Amino acid sequence: MALRSVIAGCGGYLPAQIVTNDALAARFGLDTTDAWIRERSGITQRHLAGDGETCASMGVAAARGALEAAGASVEEVDAIIVATATPDHAFPATAVRIQALLGMTRGFGFDVSAACTGFVYALSIADAMIRAGQARSILVIGSEIYSRILDWTDRSSCVLFGDGAGAVLLRAQEGESGVLSTHLHADGRHGDILLVEGTTGPLRMAGREVFKHAVNKLSSVVDEALAANNLAREDVQWLVPHQANIRIIEAMGKKLGLPRERVVVTVDRHANTSAASVPLALAEAVNDGRIRRGDLVLLEAIGGGLTWGAALVRF
Ligand SMILES: CC(C)(COP(=O)(O)OP(=O)(O)OC[C@H]1O[C@@H](n2cnc3c(N)ncnc32)[C@H](O)[C@@H]1OP(=O)(O)O)[C@@H](O)C(=O)NCCC(=O)NCCS
């Protein structure tokens, strides 16, 4: 039997501060409306980190949730991989900060930078390490504080993002369940259409161009993931997409022929939390009982780089 990486538990963390579209416009004096933001993106509100919160503090909260859901103790964890574009420091890596916060004194950890595709990249790396026998149990975390790299005078980008963290505990297990395959891509020629200036920002985005790439590239990576596993779109029970825009999410759901209730949507309440968006959405749908053991789940994401990717997971 094949050795696979099973998602043993999922956790999520959202800062307490909820800011509606109207409140955001009022706070930053933006020339925008709740109706425009809802119609173009599906977003109604976002969570924003408080002063005392860090990428590591949010990540560790999500990680604790994943450990608890898996019934695992910290002693079991061999490694921590954090996907983030907004680390607290250039180094130490956020993963190592989280290791210390969890009270771990062994194992290893590092961060992955692939913007909104970061979690899919990190999952792919963790899965490969588990199958290669380098670790048996890995915390894969996405944690982001985009509120600290946004230009709050740029209405075309600042209304689209939020803060949060999501995590999964991946565990080595023999059998048919687990990560079936991951598919990663990058094309640096399009690096300038979505970037963070320098290391501290602000973020700049050519929204319309990113939108076009998103629909085309996600569509082809979904086909690639299905073909690699000899599966048809009818076999997929759940789509857990990157949460950037409801129109992109709906296009992917339609492509897979999935009814609306089989597409996990959080963008309305979380906005785009970049590398945290997929694990946050996954945590919501797994922990409220929608996604069950045995279900075939497709994860996909696209982000700055451009980077994009997908993962097929049997729960
Ligand atoms: C950003 C996005 C919502 C904009 O929607 P759109 O339908 O493409 O809108 P456009 O960019 O064409 O802008 C339309 C108009 O709205 C204006 N506008 C932009 N932001 C606005 C806002 N917050 N409120 C009101 N008007 C706004 C623009 O200035 C433009 O005005 P103009 O026609 O007079 O020039 C959409 O392009 C998108 O979601 N792109 C993908 C972004 C994404 O996914 N990024 C993350 C990837 S990881």
Side-chain angles (χ1 to χ4, degrees):
M1 255 194 219
L3 180 69
R4 291 199 193 278
S5 325
V6 169
I7 296 187
C10 303
Y13 174 80
L14 290 159
Q17 184 188 190
I18 296 174
V19 184
T20 63
N21 293 337
D22 282 336
L24 194 79
R27 185 186 296 188
F28 295 103
L30 297 168
D31 178 16
T32 189
T33 60
D34 175 56
W36 191 95
I37 300 169
R38 277 174 198 255
E39 273 163 31
R40 301 296 173 117
S41 70
I43 295 163
T44 66
Q45 61 171 47
R46 73 284 297 137
H47 291 248
L48 298 184
D51 286 342
E53 291 188 289
T54 64
C55 185
S57 74
M58 298 202 312
V60 80
R64 286 199 175 104
L67 288 171
E68 198 186 325
S73 74
V74 166
E75 285 72 48
E76 182 193 318
V77 179
D78 297 319
I80 300 174
I81 306 178
V82 176
T84 186
T86 52
D88 304 315
H89 309 277
F91 67 83
T94 313
V96 180
R97 289 290 210 212
I98 291 175
Q99 182 201 31
L101 289 168
L102 285 172
M104 277 172 67
T105 52
R106 59 170 209 92
F108 61 92
F110 58 91
D111 290 0
V112 169
S113 170
C116 298
T117 321
F119 180 79
V120 176
Y121 269 59
L123 188 76
S124 179
I125 296 164
D127 172 50
M129 293 185 114
I130 284 178
R131 283 188 292 104
Q134 274 180 288
R136 290 197 59 80
S137 186
I138 304 183
L139 273 170
V140 186
I141 303 167
S143 185
E144 302 277 21
I145 308 189
Y146 267 51
S147 59
R148 296 189 186 149
I149 57 162
L150 294 172
D151 175 353
W152 289 108
T153 65
D154 176 13
R155 67 177 183 173
S156 69
S157 62
C158 74
V159 301
L160 301 174
F161 295 89
D163 301 333
V168 301
L169 181 73
L170 272 194
R171 205 185 251 156
Q173 193 175 295
E174 305 259 321
E176 302 304 318
S177 297
V179 178
L180 302 186
S181 66
T182 57
H183 305 269
L184 306 183
H185 294 275
D187 187 344
R189 290 174 302 171
H190 307 298
D192 290 341
I193 63 173
L194 177 51
L195 62 75
V196 173
E197 285 181 7
T199 51
T200 53
L203 175 146
R204 300 280 174 222
M205 179 174 75
R208 212 175 306 180
E209 276 184 73
V210 174
F211 192 97
K212 276 188 241 152
H213 280 291
V215 175
N216 292 334
K217 291 184 162 51
L218 290 174
S219 186
S220 73
V221 81
V222 163
D223 287 338
E224 183 187 328
L226 292 174
N229 293 281
N230 283 320
L231 291 166
R233 57 181 209 156
E234 297 77 40
D235 296 317
V236 176
Q237 272 129 343
W238 291 97
L239 173 65
V240 182
H242 173 47
Q243 308 284 323
N245 186 310
I246 192 68
R247 291 183 287 151
I248 301 172
I249 293 171
E250 281 172 354
M252 288 309 113
K254 209 165 155 195
K255 177 181 169 63
L256 285 164
L258 282 170
R260 260 189 134 106
E261 60 275 13
R262 289 274 165 173
V263 179
V264 180
V265 175
T266 57
V267 68
D268 52 335
R269 290 158 291 128
H270 301 176
N272 181 350
T273 58
S274 191
S277 93
V278 169
L280 262 172
L282 195 60
E284 194 173 278
V286 169
N287 294 340
D288 70 14
R290 271 178 287 168
I291 295 178
R292 299 190 185 173
R293 288 282 157 218
D295 286 350
L296 184 67
V297 181
L298 183 71
L299 317 177
E300 45 85 332
I302 183 161
L306 291 175
T307 55
W308 66 103
L312 260 175
V313 183
R314 175 79 64 192
F315 264 75

